[in-house]
């Protein structure tokens, strides 16, 4: 496989986004790569630990224009924008999204799960009552994946462990867009991308990934840099994501 290694220049200003609900994913051989959430509603993000999933999600969030529901049970975000940090909160938020989305709202909701594996009931839980909040979350996620497209509701679902449990059929069938950073094996790559290849991405190149939907391309994500006011902007659905929030390397 041809490996693309294009790096970003420092302090490059990103251009204005061409249309709402589109974001810049990164850079590829001949230019910037955009993703339009109106066309492709949901996204799976996979990659070995430390290869850039959380960074990538921060870049997305800072460009999105809509309500962000961010479920982070791993503590990757310390910006005050997290909506749920444990399974009970996750359940409340997700069930509120499934109830709200059917009211056919105009504005978009982005449901972001950073580490989908945290929504699976841990093995040590034997009683159904203990598993219930996990099962409720998984069922809400499936519903968002299945129906969200028609209700301006998007799922961005990230995991370090692309296994069939975590990326179940409902989610995979409905999330055609895959963002995949380096993975340890071709087996993991097949689950995340439906083909091998992510295991061949070079080691030590963080943020270098494969973007796949109806076509497939290698890209380099930009590096998110924290700035004052970032969380205020994200919380306000009226404010269009500004594109000068990044330092790019
Ligand atoms: N696009 C990028 N360009 C340059 N460096 C990057 C990029 N993405 C990630 N990195 C570097 O890699 C580090 C780890 O990235 P990140 O926290 O996003 O990984 P992760 O995939 O979320 O890992 P984990 O699964 O452990 O949560 C970042 O702190 C940053 O230094
Ligand atoms: Mg992370």
């Amino acid at each position: 496989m041809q490996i693309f290694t294009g790096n970003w220049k420092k302090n490059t200003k990103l251009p204005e986004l061409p249309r709402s609900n589109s974001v810049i994913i990164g850079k590829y051989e001949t230019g910037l790569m955009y993703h339009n959430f109106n066309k492709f509603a949901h996204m799976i993000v996979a990659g070995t630990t430390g290869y850039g999933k959380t960074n990538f999600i921060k870049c997305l969030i800072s460009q999105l224009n809509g309500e962000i529901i961010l479920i982070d049970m791993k503590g990757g975000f310390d910006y005050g924008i997290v909506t749920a940090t444990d399974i009970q909160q996750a359940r409340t938020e997700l069930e509120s999204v499934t109830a709200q989305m059917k009211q056919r709202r105009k504005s978009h909701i982005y449901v972001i799960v950073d580490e989908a594996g945290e929504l699976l009931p841990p093995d040590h839980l034997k009683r159904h009552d203990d598993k219930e909040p996990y099962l409720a979350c998984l069922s809400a996620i499936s519903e968002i994946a299945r129906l969200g497209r028609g209700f301006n509701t998007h799922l961005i679902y990230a995991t370090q462990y692309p296994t069939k449990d975590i990326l179940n059929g409902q989610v995979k069938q409905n999330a055609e867009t895959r963002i995949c950073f380096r993975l340890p094996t071709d087996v993991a790559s097949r689950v995340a991308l439906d083909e091998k290849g992510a295991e061949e991405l070079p080691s030590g190149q963080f943020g270098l990934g494969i973007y796949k939907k109806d076509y497939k391309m290698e890209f380099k994500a930009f590096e998110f840099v924290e700035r004052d006011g970032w969380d205020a902007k994200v919380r306000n659905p009226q404010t269009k994501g500004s594109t000068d929030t990044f330092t790019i390397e």
Side-chain angles (χ1 to χ4, degrees), residues 34-74:
Y34 293 87
H35 177 80
N36 182 353
F37 280 101
N38 288 337
K39 271 192 168 163
F40 294 91
H42 311 305
M43 181 182 276
I44 289 171
V45 182
T48 303
T49 178
Y51 272 80
K53 299 179 297 297
T54 299
N55 173 79
F56 175 76
I57 289 171
K58 287 175 181 171
C59 294
L60 285 190
I61 290 176
S62 63
Q63 301 175 81
L64 288 171
N65 192 10
E67 188 181 342
I68 309 281
I69 305 295
L70 175 58
I71 297 176
D72 172 28
M73 302 205 280
K74 250 174 86 172

Side-chain angles (χ1 to χ4, degrees), residues 80-237:
I81 63 154
V82 178
T83 15
T85 55
D86 65 41
I87 196 71
Q88 297 291 353
Q89 288 172 353
R91 175 189 196 166
T92 307
E93 291 290 337
L94 291 172
E95 288 185 340
S96 144
V97 170
T98 54
Q100 267 183 62
M101 73 179 183
K102 290 171 196 152
Q103 294 163 10
R104 290 220 170 262
R105 344 169 337 137
K106 272 214 168 91
S107 66
H108 287 245
I109 307 180
Y110 293 88
V111 176
I112 304 176
V113 184
D114 192 1
E115 201 33 74
E118 301 282 333
L119 299 182
L120 283 187
D123 286 343
H124 64 84
L125 297 181
K126 300 279 182 254
R127 293 174 47 227
H128 181 78
D129 282 0
D130 297 332
K131 291 186 190 173
E132 211 209 331
Y134 294 88
L135 302 176
C137 285
L138 292 172
S139 136
I141 291 286
S142 289
E143 191 172 341
I144 293 165
R146 223 170 48 241
L147 305 176
R149 185 185 327 275
F151 296 108
N152 290 345
T153 302
H154 309 273
L155 180 66
I156 298 168
Y157 205 54
T159 185
Q160 182 186 155
Y161 316 103
T163 63
K164 285 187 178 136
D165 282 354
I166 294 170
L167 300 181
N168 66 38
Q170 292 278 358
V171 170
K172 277 191 69 174
Q173 274 163 36
N174 289 287
E176 307 110 309
T177 308
R178 313 286 166 79
I179 298 284
C180 199
F181 299 107
R182 185 177 155 89
L183 284 169
T185 63
D186 60 339
V187 176
S189 180
R190 282 199 181 92
V191 178
L193 275 182
D194 296 322
E195 62 185 292
K196 65 189 202 59
E199 76 288 0
E200 288 174 22
L201 289 166
S203 71
Q205 295 254 9
F206 311 117
L208 189 68
I210 296 171
Y211 173 75
K212 181 179 175 185
K213 45 180 198 197
D214 40 0
Y215 58 86
K216 190 178 72 169
M217 205 96 92
E218 273 181 38
F219 77 103
K220 173 79 186 229
F222 42 90
E223 191 172 6
F224 181 78
V225 174
E226 185 187 0
R227 288 258 189 98
D228 289 349
W230 191 72
D231 45 2
K233 176 165 70 60
V234 174
R235 279 228 174 254
N236 179 358

